[in-house]
């Protein structure tokens, strides 16, 4: 009897040791995974960890708002599209129309992205009017009433630019609210409205817009601020996501951008009536012209932002390049969206 009791006690001790051992192992494993960066997840079919690049907004005491979240790697689903775009670009290079081109695509339905020469620098020209727009709307957030201030266009500006794609401009001697000037700057890409606004802009805040997005602060005395397609896309994404300005100001900005009257590039490559918020910019010198455009295309259940930047000898041939690239992207995205809807 005593032997049976001892055997039972020994068995209980073994079971207890095993339970304690398993508990310790479980605790160690749990802590290990708890300490793992939450940005690292395993993607099906990749067989490896796929991290995320997270950009956060600093300058606060207790919070660090998220600006952008991107996969570290390009989307495999966009590989076929990338091949198509590369073919278009190569053909234009062979014909002498292009010296270089870059494309950056960000899709919002599944957070994928794709880049062709995404880190090559270009001269943005009037694309810089979007960060100026963002700056004034940030000023309005901090100092309500900014948009209702009135300024008079008293003296003609000496602008060292000869834009080819021009439209309406403010009238000398007339007064305009900031809200009206912003409309001229974005809808008509008016350099006079832009210069008048620039004279009353918080320049420190303008620089901060760039540094908040992880870019170098622009030298306001320099003629140009070279920028990449990847970098520029941040401005458009911040408006679509309302991650930098509040929702009201982001909506106001994208509504203005939806009225941009340049229709030879991105807009020409998509079906008539498709909703798009966009801005273009031209720059360069007699030897090399730069034409770029960035926009949010509101494609049913698959909206996306695309930035296309081009360089070539003749400016008037570059809109066709942007049109063709825009059309190829839209067709691919629309076909995939329709396939997804049919499957569901």
């Amino acid at each position: 009897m005593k032997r049976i009791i001892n055997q039972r006690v020994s068995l209980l001790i073994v079971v207890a040791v095993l339970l304690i051992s398993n508990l310790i192992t479980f605790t160690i494993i749990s802590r290990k995974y708890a300490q793992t960066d939450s940005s690292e997840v395993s993607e099906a079919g990749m067989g490896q960890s796929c991290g995320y690049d997270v950009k956060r907004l600093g300058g606060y005491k207790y919070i660090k708002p998220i600006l952008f979240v991107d996969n570290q790697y390009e989307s495999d689903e966009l590989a076929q599209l990338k091949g198509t775009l590369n073919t278009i670009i190569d053909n234009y290079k062979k014909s002498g129309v292009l010296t270089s081109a870059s494309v950056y695509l960000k899709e919002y339905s599944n957070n994928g992205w794709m880049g062709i020469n995404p880190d090559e620098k270009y001269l943005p020209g009037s694309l810089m009017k979007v960060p100026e727009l963002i700056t004034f709307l940030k000023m309005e957030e901090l100092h309500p009433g900014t948009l209702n201030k009135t300024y008079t266009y008293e003296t003609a500006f000496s602008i060292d630019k000869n834009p080819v794609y021009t439209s309406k401009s403010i009238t000398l001697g007339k007064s305009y609210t900031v809200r009206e000037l912003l409309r001229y700057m974005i809808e008509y890409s008016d350099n006079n409205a832009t210069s008048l606004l620039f004279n009353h802009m918080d320049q420190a805040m303008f620089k901060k817009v760039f540094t908040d997005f992880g870019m170098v602060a622009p030298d306001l005395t320099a003629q140009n601020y070279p920028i990449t397609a990847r970098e520029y896309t941040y401005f458009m994404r911040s408006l679509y996501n309302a991650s930098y300005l509040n929702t009201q100001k982001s909506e106001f900005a994208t509504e203005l951008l939806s009225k941009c009257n340049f229709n030879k590039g991105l807009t020409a490559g998509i079906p008539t009536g498709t909703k798009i918020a966009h801005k273009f910019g031209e720059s360069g010198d007699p030897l090399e012209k730069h034409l770029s455009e960035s926009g949010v295309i509101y494609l049913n259940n698959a909206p996306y932002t695309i930035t296309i930047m081009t360089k070539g000898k003749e400016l008037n041939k570059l809109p066709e390049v942007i049109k063709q690239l825009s059309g190829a992207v839209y067709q691919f995205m629309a076909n995939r969206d329709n396939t997804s809807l049919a499957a569901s």
Side-chain angles (χ1 to χ4, degrees):
M1 185 72 176
K2 184 176 181 181
R3 180 181 298 175
I4 294 174
I5 293 174
N6 288 338
Q7 287 176 344
R8 288 181 177 176
V9 170
S10 299
L11 181 61
L12 288 173
I13 292 173
V14 170
V15 170
V17 169
L18 287 174
L19 288 173
I20 293 171
S21 176
N22 288 336
L23 181 59
I24 292 172
T25 302
F26 176 80
T27 303
I28 292 172
I29 293 174
S30 299
R31 288 181 177 177
K32 178 180 178 180
Y33 279 99
Q35 291 169 357
T36 300
D37 187 344
S38 60
S39 67
E40 294 182 356
V41 297
S42 177
E43 284 197 357
M46 291 188 65
Q48 62 177 344
S49 290
C50 179
Y52 288 93
D53 292 323
V54 180
K55 287 188 182 295
R56 292 181 178 272
L57 183 61
Y60 297 93
K61 187 174 181 181
Y62 297 109
I63 62 173
K64 209 165 185 183
I66 292 177
L67 285 173
F68 311 108
V69 178
D70 289 307
N71 292 318
Q72 288 182 344
Y73 305 103
E74 293 183 66
S75 171
D76 291 338
E77 295 181 4
L78 299 174
Q80 180 184 347
L81 172 61
K82 185 172 182 177
T84 301
L85 299 182
N86 269 318
T87 299
I88 294 173
I89 291 171
D90 288 342
N91 288 338
Y92 276 115
K93 283 183 177 179
K94 290 174 184 177
S95 68
V97 172
L98 275 181
T99 56
S100 185
S102 294
V103 179
Y104 192 87
L105 171 68
K106 176 67 180 183
E107 53 176 348
Y108 295 108
S109 58
N110 57 13
N111 203 36
W113 66 273
M114 179 221 69
I116 297 174
N117 301 323
D119 299 314
E120 183 174 345
K121 298 281 188 179
Y122 294 78
L123 303 180
S126 288
L127 286 180
M128 292 292 279
K129 291 169 182 173
V130 172
E132 186 167 338
L133 168 65
I134 292 172
T135 300
F136 270 96
L137 294 179
K138 180 61 74 173
M139 290 167 61
E140 171 69 19
E141 284 185 1
L142 299 176
H143 309 288
T146 296
L147 296 186
N148 296 325
K149 289 184 178 180
T150 301
Y151 299 112
T152 303
Y153 181 28
E154 296 177 318
T155 307
F157 294 105
S158 176
I159 300 173
D160 187 23
K161 296 177 182 177
N162 297 296
V164 173
Y165 301 107
T166 58
S167 187
K168 293 183 181 180
S169 179
I170 57 176
T171 303
L172 199 62
K174 287 191 65 175
S175 297
Y176 300 86
T177 65
V178 169
R179 191 184 303 271
E180 291 171 326
L181 291 171
L182 290 175
R183 183 172 70 86
Y184 271 91
M185 180 177 73
I186 298 300
E187 186 173 346
Y188 307 121
S189 202
D190 179 19
N191 287 331
N192 291 315
T194 305
S195 296
L196 183 56
L197 285 168
F198 187 83
N199 289 343
H200 299 279
M201 181 179 67
D202 185 333
Q203 295 186 359
M205 189 172 293
F206 180 70
K207 292 181 179 180
K208 190 174 184 298
V209 170
F210 289 81
T211 57
D212 280 345
F213 290 173
M215 295 178 242
V216 176
D219 179 359
L220 300 183
T221 63
Q223 275 206 302
N224 289 299
Y225 179 84
I227 194 168
T228 71
R230 186 198 304 270
E231 290 172 332
Y232 192 82
T233 304
Y234 287 141
F235 296 127
M236 306 301 286
R237 289 175 60 188
S238 75
L239 295 176
Y240 179 83
N241 292 330
S243 57
Y244 190 70
L245 299 171
N246 64 32
T247 53
Q248 181 187 19
K249 300 302 180 296
S250 296
E251 181 78 1
F252 175 78
T254 47
E255 183 179 0
L256 281 183
L257 289 163
S258 72
K259 297 176 181 177
C260 172
N261 68 351
F262 181 71
N263 58 9
K264 298 178 182 294
L266 292 179
T267 303
I270 62 179
T272 302
T274 304
K275 190 164 65 171
I276 176 176
H278 62 121
K279 187 71 189 78
F280 80 101
E282 58 175 286
S283 190
D285 54 47
L287 297 178
E288 186 176 66
K289 303 296 184 182
H290 295 223
L291 182 68
S292 303
E293 191 170 5
S294 184
V296 180
I297 288 77
Y298 299 86
L299 170 62
N300 301 326
N301 297 312
Y304 60 93
T305 290
I306 183 170
T307 298
I308 301 174
M309 296 185 159
T310 64
K311 300 176 188 177
K313 294 180 180 179
E314 298 179 63
L315 184 67
N316 63 354
K317 292 184 177 180
L318 297 179
E320 183 65 22
V321 179
I322 296 177
K323 171 187 172 181
Q324 293 300 325
L325 293 170
S326 173
V329 171
Y330 183 90
Q331 183 177 4
F332 179 90
M333 298 294 285
N335 288 341
R336 198 177 66 167
D337 185 37
N338 291 334
T339 301
S340 176
L341 288 174
S344 61

